[in-house]
Amino acid sequence: MNNSKRAEGVISIYDVAKLLKENAKFYCRYDYYDLGRSNSPRYTCTYIREDGSEAVLISVRYSGGGGVNKRLFSLWPGLYKHHREYGDGSEIVVHEDNTISTIKVDSKGRIKALTGPLASPHSDEGSGS
């Protein structure tokens, strides 16, 4: 099950490092991809810029066919490590169905859902963009 079909473009880790250096505003969305060889969930990462454009993170390793491959993260430690280093500063919530939401908690303890199921139109918490 690949839920990353909404992404419009691609982005490399080098481009993400540039966004961070420029203090650009963006959100990270983690979409469930599949169960990997070790039967643990794997995810893609999509960067959503302030203007609403989306770009899926790609692997910078040569794929052999001249194309690019989506970068896949195992939940632990891959996704958590990536989010700490290259994320949007949000917290990660992992749901029972392996989907992921990102949230921000303000100084008063209020939670704002940014991406994922908690930010869906069915949620009372917000939209994420």
Side-chain angles (χ1 to χ4, degrees), residues 34-69:
D34 68 3
L35 289 175
R37 287 184 291 242
S38 63
N39 207 31
S40 62
R42 295 191 307 168
Y43 300 86
T44 60
C45 176
T46 299
Y47 284 84
I48 306 165
R49 293 186 182 100
E50 196 169 20
D51 66 3
S53 64
E54 298 185 5
V56 68
L57 184 65
I58 58 169
S59 174
V60 291
R61 288 185 228 143
Y62 180 65
S63 67
V68 294
N69 292 325

Side-chain angles (χ1 to χ4, degrees), residues 23-99:
N23 292 317
K25 186 173 180 182
F26 62 85
Y27 296 110
C28 294
R29 184 181 71 230
Y30 297 99
D31 295 310
Y32 176 80
Y33 187 78
D34 68 3
L35 289 175
R37 287 184 291 242
S38 63
N39 207 31
S40 62
R42 295 191 307 168
Y43 300 86
T44 60
C45 176
T46 299
Y47 284 84
I48 306 165
R49 293 186 182 100
E50 196 169 20
D51 66 3
S53 64
E54 298 185 5
V56 68
L57 184 65
I58 58 169
S59 174
V60 291
R61 288 185 228 143
Y62 180 65
S63 67
V68 294
N69 292 325
K70 293 176 184 175
R71 184 157 177 197
L72 299 177
F73 294 97
S74 59
L75 185 58
W76 183 263
L79 187 140
Y80 281 100
K81 184 177 186 302
H82 173 80
H83 193 68
R84 275 195 312 272
E85 293 178 24
Y86 297 101
D88 55 18
S90 65
E91 301 294 324
I92 295 172
V93 176
V94 181
H95 303 282
E96 278 189 47
D97 65 355
N98 290 326
T99 58

